[in-house]
Amino acid sequence: MNKEKGFSLVELMVALVIGLLLIAGVIELFVSTRQTYRVQDMKARMQEDGRYAIHHISSLLDRAGYVGCNSIPTGNRGATGRNSGGTGRSLVNNLNTANNYFWDIGGAPVLGHEADNNGGWSPALPAGINQAIAGSDVFTLRTVSNVFIEVSHFDSSLGPSAPVKIPQNNPLDDCDPATEAKPGECANIVIASDCNNSVIFQVTNDPSVDGNLQHETGIGTPGNSRVDLGLSGLSQGWLNTITTHTFFIRNGPSNYPSLYQMVLGKNPDVLIEGVEQMQVEYGVDTSNNGSVDQYVKANAVADWEQIISVRISLVMINIDPQQNDNVALGDGTYTLEGNVITPDDGRLRQVFTKTITLRNRIL
């Protein structure tokens, strides 16, 4: 009778050990690959968000300080943004409380607030900017849209209420401030220029009806301080919408630090989640030659009209609640404004920095 042969106990034990070693190697490879994928995926997300935020702010800064086709170089500006260089060109702001932080479009194109060590900012924040995270700068810019609308007709001989005529099919908001549900909800604030003179005013009717822009007083927010635009005519002129954008960091709806954007002092909206900090430096042209003499923080700026460049740094942080622990695969050290920072929470961070020249201040 033939005896059946099989594996001995020793052979089975050896096979099991070899199998376990192979499985352990596969698991280790899987975990390592998964961790690498997590890190690369988070880096990709942060890069996408960081680049978008920087691009958005840069595109606005490219147009900051534009006051129509008669944009006046820095050396020809007075303290109020009006011409003082004898060129005969002028800029008039017809808005109510034209020197208000959010409406002073003809003033300095950028303003900043440096975070101090006591949970505050210098200069102090204006009313309306709430819940900003301490330790992060606040930054405001005043700019125009990138859409130019041709002014087809304006004749002041028809009286101070003469409308500014633009095409009926235009990109202005089709709303009427006289019937707005909330103050400031309908705010077509524009700058009209004929390359000799510019005027800022609020449109007080629905511009989509016939393209005739009214500019009465007592309508809308902030409204106009006077009806008369102070222009003799507006031949071959152009019109742009104007606005102010304020950027600051505060916790978002998901309790993650986020970059917020406030437009014309209205309720702020989340621009990008996962922005832990924003630091801003300002290039000052003290010699008035169109070149930056030094970069300073907001609390060291003596004259905001001398700012011709802005350097912005954003610290992005991973925000996925399932992937926050020990993601940095090390100490997560990063450099911000020349300072080496080593967080102890193991989370992934990346710094995005860009320097943007205010073209309308040097051209």
Side-chain angles (χ1 to χ4, degrees):
M1 183 175 65
N2 294 328
K3 293 183 179 180
E4 294 183 2
K5 293 184 178 181
F7 293 106
S8 67
L9 181 59
V10 173
E11 291 173 327
L12 286 174
M13 293 296 293
V14 171
L16 286 173
V17 169
I18 294 174
L20 289 174
L21 290 175
L22 290 174
I23 292 173
V26 171
I27 292 175
E28 183 178 357
L29 178 62
F30 171 77
V31 171
S32 176
T33 302
R34 182 173 180 271
Q35 183 75 336
T36 300
Y37 170 78
R38 289 170 58 194
V39 172
Q40 295 304 318
D41 181 58
M42 289 182 203
K43 284 184 177 180
R45 293 183 188 181
M46 289 193 297
Q47 287 175 356
E48 181 179 358
D49 290 345
R51 288 171 179 169
Y52 170 76
I54 290 292
H55 173 75
H56 177 73
I57 297 174
S58 298
S59 64
L60 294 173
L61 280 171
D62 281 342
R63 302 187 298 273
Y66 179 81
V67 290
C69 56
N70 72 330
S71 290
I72 304 167
T74 305
N76 290 335
R77 293 177 181 272
T80 62
R82 292 174 172 80
N83 171 58
S84 62
T87 64
R89 300 178 296 177
S90 66
L91 168 65
V92 177
N93 191 332
N94 268 9
L95 298 178
N96 283 323
T97 60
N99 60 349
N100 177 277
Y101 183 91
F102 297 108
W103 307 118
D104 189 12
I105 307 297
V110 297
L111 292 172
H113 306 270
E114 170 68 11
D116 58 32
N117 296 325
N118 301 315
W121 288 265
S122 178
L125 296 182
I129 302 178
N130 303 315
Q131 301 177 10
I133 292 179
S136 186
D137 293 347
V138 176
F139 168 63
T140 293
L141 60 90
R142 294 153 175 167
T143 188
V144 300
S145 71
N146 59 358
V147 178
F148 290 78
I149 307 170
E150 184 176 5
V151 176
S152 56
H153 185 73
F154 172 74
D155 187 358
S156 62
S157 66
L158 299 177
S161 296
V164 176
K165 178 67 175 178
I166 63 173
Q168 181 176 353
N169 184 16
N170 60 75
L172 298 182
D173 291 338
D174 53 348
C175 60
D176 188 343
T179 60
E180 62 184 0
K182 299 179 181 179
E185 185 177 57
C186 178
N188 281 314
I189 300 174
V190 300
I191 180 169
S193 170
D194 65 356
C195 298
N196 288 308
N197 301 286
S198 296
V199 61
I200 295 170
F201 64 94
Q202 181 172 7
V203 179
T204 56
N205 65 317
D206 186 344
S208 66
V209 174
D210 54 13
N212 287 320
L213 306 185
Q214 305 293 337
H215 39 90
E216 303 297 325
T217 59
I219 299 175
T221 302
N224 297 309
S225 61
R226 63 176 188 171
V227 176
D228 190 356
L229 297 181
L231 300 175
S232 59
L234 204 61
S235 60
Q236 297 180 339
W238 297 90
L239 182 140
N240 299 78
T241 56
I242 58 178
T243 186
T244 62
H245 297 256
T246 300
F247 298 93
F248 58 94
I249 308 298
R250 88 179 194 191
N251 288 329
S254 302
N255 205 34
Y256 298 126
S258 304
L259 178 62
Y260 272 75
Q261 175 180 243
M262 174 186 287
V263 180
L264 286 175
K266 300 178 184 178
N267 290 332
D269 295 313
V270 176
L271 182 64
I272 290 291
E273 285 190 305
V275 184
E276 185 178 50
Q277 191 174 160
M278 176 173 66
Q279 295 295 322
V280 186
E281 294 179 301
Y282 303 89
V284 184
D285 177 18
T286 55
S287 57
N288 198 27
N289 62 359
S291 299
V292 174
D293 294 300
Q294 61 178 328
Y295 280 91
V296 299
K297 303 296 285 185
N299 57 354
V301 175
D303 183 359
W304 287 98
E305 289 285 344
Q306 294 180 336
I307 303 303
I308 63 172
S309 180
V310 179
R311 180 181 294 153
I312 301 175
S313 296
L314 300 178
V315 180
M316 307 297 297
I317 185 171
N318 66 290
I319 61 173
D320 191 331
Q322 303 299 321
Q323 301 178 345
N324 283 343
D325 297 333
N326 301 318
V327 174
L329 297 179
D331 59 12
T333 298
Y334 64 94
T335 302
L336 178 64
E337 294 185 323
N339 300 313
V340 178
I341 301 172
T342 304
D344 58 2
D345 58 3
R347 297 177 67 180
L348 190 65
R349 289 172 175 83
Q350 189 168 355
V351 179
F352 292 83
T353 300
K354 185 172 183 179
T355 301
I356 306 103
T357 299
L358 305 182
R359 297 185 297 176
N360 291 298
R361 289 276 130 167
I362 62 174
L363 297 179

